[in-house]
Amino acid sequence: MKRYGKKYQAALKLVDKTKVYSIEEACKLVKQTSTVKFDSSVDISFNLNINTKLADQQIRGTVVLPGGTGKDVRVLVLTNAKQKDATEAGADFVGGKELLEKIISEKWFDFDVICATPDMMGEIGKAGRILGPKGLMPNPKTGTVGMDVAKMVKELKAGKVEYRADRDGNVNLAVGKVSFSDEKLIENVTTIIRQILKVRPQSVKGQYVKVCKIHTTMGPSISVDYNI
């Protein structure tokens, strides 16, 4: 679909589509291509040469962005034994079965992520049909289930994000805001690129990363050199 908006066309002229930019160049340029009035998100997109039907090629995990996400993450901790730890760590909401029942009965979703201790997982499973479609189910693989609730809360507040490849091998996630300094954005982009390269499945042959681009909300994409 072609976009004919004047702001988009002006931003498009700033980007050389034949060029693969260094991380530093791309992070500086992407902030100039924002076409909206609000503080736009900066997203990174990968297309990976993987077959997600194979168990060992299902790319999923978490990474802490050193510069944060630019978003105040509201954390709900469901636990019985670790409520004091969760509160002291800065969790926005802390409780047990009563909060889970509030989610189910009142469709309460004034939070962004749920952490839980293992003893709560049996109860949380009952709300799977509600939490699952919203991507809110706690999962040991994403570091949101465990006994060290203080660590989980602090990491999420500091900028911990989840990445996951879809069935076509695409990974998309926000790495900051247009208002970020160049240094902070460069650090975040470098961190996620290194993480994606680190989790390359051993069974993948040939080129692993086919596409790596960054872009703002409704802005043109910029090809990034991921060879770091």
Side-chain angles (χ1 to χ4, degrees), residues 159-172:
K160 185 176 184 178
V161 294
E162 179 183 359
Y163 59 87
R164 185 175 187 176
D166 64 19
R167 63 181 182 180
D168 296 316
N170 299 310
V171 178
N172 304 287

Side-chain angles (χ1 to χ4, degrees), residues 79 81-82 85-86 116-119 144-152:
T79 180
K82 296 287 185 174
D85 290 353
T117 46
D119 59 290
T144 49
V145 177
M147 292 303 294
D148 194 345
V149 295
K151 180 182 178 182
M152 291 190 290

Side-chain angles (χ1 to χ4, degrees), residues 62 115 139-146 151-153 155-156 160:
T62 59
C115 294
N139 191 317
K141 292 182 179 180
T142 59
T144 49
V145 177
K151 180 182 178 182
M152 291 190 290
V153 171
E155 286 184 342
L156 287 165
K160 185 176 184 178

Side-chain angles (χ1 to χ4, degrees), residues 185-198:
L185 197 56
I186 289 167
E187 197 172 17
N188 280 358
V189 171
T190 301
T191 296
I192 187 60
I193 289 177
R194 283 178 174 161
Q195 181 64 21
I196 293 298
L197 295 176
K198 180 181 177 181

Side-chain angles (χ1 to χ4, degrees), residues 77-104:
V77 178
L78 295 175
T79 180
N80 290 317
K82 296 287 185 174
Q83 293 191 8
K84 182 180 179 181
D85 290 353
T87 300
E88 291 178 348
D92 298 273
F93 307 99
V94 181
K97 189 176 180 180
E98 75 283 357
L99 285 184
L100 191 58
E101 290 177 346
K102 183 177 180 180
I103 294 171
I104 297 171

Side-chain angles (χ1 to χ4, degrees), residues 20-223:
V20 177
Y21 292 83
S22 69
I23 294 174
E24 292 77 12
E25 291 174 325
C27 288
K28 291 179 181 179
L29 179 58
V30 75
K31 298 199 296 180
Q32 301 174 38
T33 65
S34 179
T35 61
V36 294
K37 294 182 179 180
F38 56 85
D39 188 12
S40 172
S41 291
V42 176
D43 299 338
I44 190 165
S45 300
F46 299 89
N47 180 245
L48 307 177
N49 178 30
I50 57 175
N51 181 356
T52 55
K53 293 181 180 180
L54 302 177
D56 69 325
Q57 293 190 22
Q58 294 176 2
I59 303 295
R60 182 181 185 182
T62 59
V63 62
V64 176
L65 298 177
T69 62
K71 180 181 179 182
D72 182 18
V73 180
R74 300 168 298 173
V75 181
L76 164 63
V77 178
L78 295 175
T79 180
N80 290 317
K82 296 287 185 174
Q83 293 191 8
K84 182 180 179 181
D85 290 353
T87 300
E88 291 178 348
D92 298 273
F93 307 99
V94 181
K97 189 176 180 180
E98 75 283 357
L99 285 184
L100 191 58
E101 290 177 346
K102 183 177 180 180
I103 294 171
I104 297 171
S105 62
E106 300 179 21
K107 301 298 186 291
W108 174 66
F109 295 106
D110 292 341
F111 51 87
D112 301 300
V113 62
I114 300 176
C115 294
T117 46
D119 59 290
M120 286 296 299
M121 291 308 293
E123 293 294 332
I124 293 173
K126 299 176 183 178
R129 291 184 178 179
I130 296 175
L131 299 176
K134 292 182 176 293
L136 291 170
M137 278 292 289
N139 191 317
K141 292 182 179 180
T142 59
T144 49
V145 177
M147 292 303 294
D148 194 345
V149 295
K151 180 182 178 182
M152 291 190 290
V153 171
K154 289 176 181 178
E155 286 184 342
L156 287 165
K157 289 287 188 179
K160 185 176 184 178
V161 294
E162 179 183 359
Y163 59 87
R164 185 175 187 176
D166 64 19
R167 63 181 182 180
D168 296 316
N170 299 310
V171 178
N172 304 287
L173 71 157
V175 289
K177 296 282 189 177
V178 167
S179 60
F180 276 22
S181 66
D182 292 347
E183 292 73 19
K184 186 183 290 188
L185 197 56
I186 289 167
E187 197 172 17
N188 280 358
V189 171
T190 301
T191 296
I192 187 60
I193 289 177
R194 283 178 174 161
Q195 181 64 21
I196 293 298
L197 295 176
K198 180 181 177 181
V199 298
R200 172 178 178 151
Q202 292 185 348
S203 58
V204 171
K205 305 301 181 183
Q207 185 179 9
Y208 169 50
V209 179
K210 296 193 288 186
V211 174
C212 177
K213 295 185 177 184
I214 61 174
H215 54 90
T216 61
T217 303
M218 299 179 69
S221 60
I222 301 167
S223 295

